Amino acid sequence: RKQTQKHRRGRRHRFLRAAASSRRPDRSDTPMPSRSLRVAVIGAGAAGLVAARELRREGHAPVVFERTDGVGGTWVYEADADASASPEPLVTQRRSNLDASLRTNLPRECMGFLDFPFVAGPDGDTRRFPGHAEVLRYLQSFARRFDLDGLVRLETEVVRVSRETSGTSWRVRYSRKASGSEKRETDEEVFDAVVICNGHYSQPHFADVAGVDAWPGKQLHSTSYRVPEPFHGQVVVVIGCGPSGTDISRDIAGVAKEVHLASRWSLSATSEKLPGHANMWFHSEIDRAQEDGSVVFHDGSRVKADVIMHCTGYKYNFPFLTNDATVSVDDNCVDPLYKHVFPPQVAPRLSFIGLPLKDAVFWDMYPSED
Ligand code: FAD
C-alpha cells in the first residue's frame, strides 16, 4: 500500500506534465556520460526492455539477462496449466500467470511507452482493451524497433548479485544452458551497475486459512489458473476481490456449480447473491475450513467446497540478493528506496524498475526528468 500511495502522487505529477507538453524532450540533446558503464539488467519484460533502451541511449552498455526463452515477461502466455484435468495443487512459482481469456484492464492508450504508442496494427487485436497476445506483440515489436534483442541473453538466470569490495561494482552470477547440452553451467561477470527488472507477479501470496491442512479439497493460486473447464460442476471458493479474483470468478461461474467470493471488503453481515449471476455469492472473509469439506465464513454462512482459489496477490522477491542488506522486503514493501527506484546507500549503481502496484505501469517505467 505504502509502495502504491507514495508513488501515485509522483505519477500524477508526471502525467500532468506529459499531457501539458506537446512532445518528449529531444534526447539527442542529452550530454553523453563521461564514462560508459556496463550495466546488468535483470529481466526482459516491459521494465527490462525500456531500461535497456534508455541505458543505451545514454551511452551505457546494458546486458539483459532473461531466464526464459523470450522477451515480454508476464505477457508470455503459458498454456501448460490447461492440461490439468483437475486443479493442480499449490504452485509456488510460475513465469506467467495469465488466463487464456485475459484482456488488459487498462485501455491501450495507458499501456504504451510515451514515445512508442500501443496502437492497433492491421492484423492484431484492435480492441481498446486487447487480449494478452496483443500486449506481447507490442513488447516484441518495441524490442525489434529499438534493436534490443541483441542485448538480451535468453535462458540465462541471474542467481546472485553481490557488491564488490570496491563498493562501485557488482559481481553477477548467472546460470545458463551449456552449449550442446541440457546441463546448466554457472558463470560470473562484473558490472558497474545493476538494474533489477525481475517483475513481481511470480511469487504467489496465499491467504492463511485456519484448518485448511485437514480440509480435503484442492487449493490453487490464481497464478495457475488458465481456463474454466477443470472446474465444471464444482463448488469453488475464490479468495480476494481484486482484478484476478473478479475476472476468474466470473470465468469459472460459466461452468461451475457454485462460485463463492470471499472478501475482506464485504460490508454485509450476511452472504449475498451477486446480481446478474445465478450461481455466485459474495461473502465476508473465510473463518475456517473443516475436515468435512466445509468452508465457514465470518458472516456465519458455510458451503461444502471442492476448491479454494487464492486470488491473493504476489510477494516481492529478489532471491539473487541473498547476501546483500541494501534493501529488505518487509510486509511486502521494498525499503529503503528513493522514489521506489534507488536504494540511497548505493544509488545509482543499483536500481529497481516497475515496483509500484495499481498504476499505469508502462508509464511508470518510462524515465522522467524528476
Ligand atoms: P515481468 O513482465 O514479470 O518481467 C520480468 C522478467 O524478469 C520476466 O521475463 C522473468 O522471466 C525475468 N526474470 C525474473 N527473475 C529473473 C532472474 N533471476 N534472472 C533473469 N531473468 C529473470 N499491467 C497493465 O498495464 N495492464 C494490464 O491489463 C495488466 N494486467 C495484468 C494481469 C495479470 C494477471 C498480471 C499478473 C499483471 C498484469 N499487469 C498489467 C501488470 C504487468 O505485470 C505489467 O504490465 C508488466 O508486464 C510488468 O513488467 P515487468 O518487466 O516489471 O515484469
Side-chain angles (χ1 to χ4, degrees):
R1 268 195 310 277
K2 202 164 83 189
Q3 206 88 37
T4 304
Q5 285 164 356
K6 268 167 65 185
H7 188 76
R8 267 195 194 138
R9 289 194 288 275
R11 233 209 30 74
R12 197 165 36 244
H13 169 68
R14 267 182 281 154
F15 170 73
L16 291 172
R17 206 184 38 205
S21 125
S22 58
R23 63 181 184 100
R24 298 280 309 160
D26 181 354
R27 287 179 176 271
S28 59
D29 297 343
T30 314
M32 284 289 135
S34 51
R35 184 160 89 87
S36 170
L37 301 181
R38 257 193 109 222
V39 184
V41 176
I42 304 176
L49 292 175
V50 81
R53 184 189 68 166
E54 292 304 314
L55 286 162
R56 197 173 52 187
R57 271 184 169 173
E58 299 289 332
H60 300 297
V63 173
V64 184
F65 293 92
E66 170 52 54
R67 68 181 171 195
T68 68
D69 59 1
V71 304
T74 305
W75 296 99
V76 179
Y77 174 67
E78 284 178 329
D80 57 358
D82 292 0
S84 56
S86 62
E88 61 182 291
L90 296 183
V91 167
T92 51
Q93 209 179 51
R94 235 171 225 297
R95 175 212 204 175
S96 172
N97 25 43
L98 305 176
D99 58 272
S101 63
L102 186 131
R103 291 173 57 185
T104 65
N105 57 8
L106 288 176
R108 61 194 315 142
E109 292 86 339
C110 298
M111 284 191 60
F113 300 120
L114 290 179
D115 62 354
F116 190 71
F118 185 16
V119 289
D123 308 321
D125 178 347
T126 53
R127 294 173 294 181
R128 199 164 185 213
F129 293 82
H132 54 78
E134 177 77 359
V135 186
L136 179 61
R137 273 193 292 274
Y138 167 76
L139 290 172
Q140 289 168 336
S141 59
F142 178 81
R144 269 196 309 277
R145 162 71 183 77
F146 293 101
D147 203 14
L148 302 175
D149 290 313
L151 302 179
V152 184
R153 295 190 196 168
L154 296 174
E155 296 186 310
T156 308
E157 177 169 13
V158 171
V159 292
R160 200 171 68 209
V161 174
S162 49
R163 216 176 330 164
E164 293 281 81
T165 40
S166 67
T168 55
S169 52
W170 301 82
R171 183 167 291 272
V172 173
R173 175 185 277 261
Y174 51 87
S175 138
R176 64 174 170 215
K177 250 198 233 157
S179 60
S181 138
E182 280 307 296
K183 278 203 189 136
R184 293 192 75 81
E185 60 185 16
T186 54
D187 210 339
E188 291 186 346
E189 279 172 53
V190 173
F191 290 86
D192 300 306
V194 175
V195 182
I196 298 178
C197 304
N198 68 329
H200 45 83
Y201 292 105
S202 61
Q203 186 74 33
H205 168 262
F206 292 92
D208 281 331
V209 177
V212 81
D213 291 342
W215 179 73
K218 284 172 179 146
Q219 296 185 74
L220 73 164
H221 190 274
S222 58
T223 197
S224 308
Y225 180 76
R226 296 293 180 274
V227 290
E229 284 72 27
F231 302 91
H232 195 269
Q234 301 203 327
V235 176
V236 182
V237 172
V238 174
I239 307 179
C241 258
S244 299
T246 45
D247 277 4
I248 291 175
S249 54
R250 276 197 228 116
D251 215 22
I252 291 179
V255 300
K257 187 173 166 205
E258 293 173 10
V259 175
H260 297 268
L261 258 169
S263 168
R264 67 169 77 153
W265 308 117
S266 165
L267 297 174
S268 169
T270 55
S271 59
E272 295 171 72
K273 196 151 195 201
L274 282 175
H277 296 275
N279 60 348
M280 284 181 81
W281 284 263
F282 192 58
H283 301 263
S284 56
E285 274 181 276
I286 296 178
D287 181 55
R288 63 188 183 280
Q290 301 188 153
E291 220 171 331
D292 67 356
S294 34
V295 172
V296 183
F297 301 91
H298 276 301
D299 57 31
S301 57
R302 63 177 62 212
V303 292
K304 278 253 168 92
D306 301 297
V307 177
I308 296 178
M309 166 88 73
H310 296 250
C311 296
T312 40
Y314 296 84
K315 295 188 272 194
Y316 291 101
N317 189 26
F318 310 104
F320 39 79
L321 286 179
T322 40
N323 300 321
D324 199 288
T326 315
V327 294
S328 64
V329 183
D330 183 21
D331 196 19
N332 215 25
C333 195
V334 188
D335 253 341
L337 288 181
Y338 176 70
K339 297 209 172 197
H340 305 277
V341 177
F342 295 109
Q345 210 189 334
V346 287
R349 301 281 173 145
L350 183 70
S351 54
F352 296 76
I353 309 290
L355 290 189
L357 299 165
K358 296 190 180 170
D359 228 327
V361 280
F362 283 55
W363 287 4
D364 283 336
M365 291 164 184
Y366 199 88
S368 79
E369 290 70 48
D370 286 0

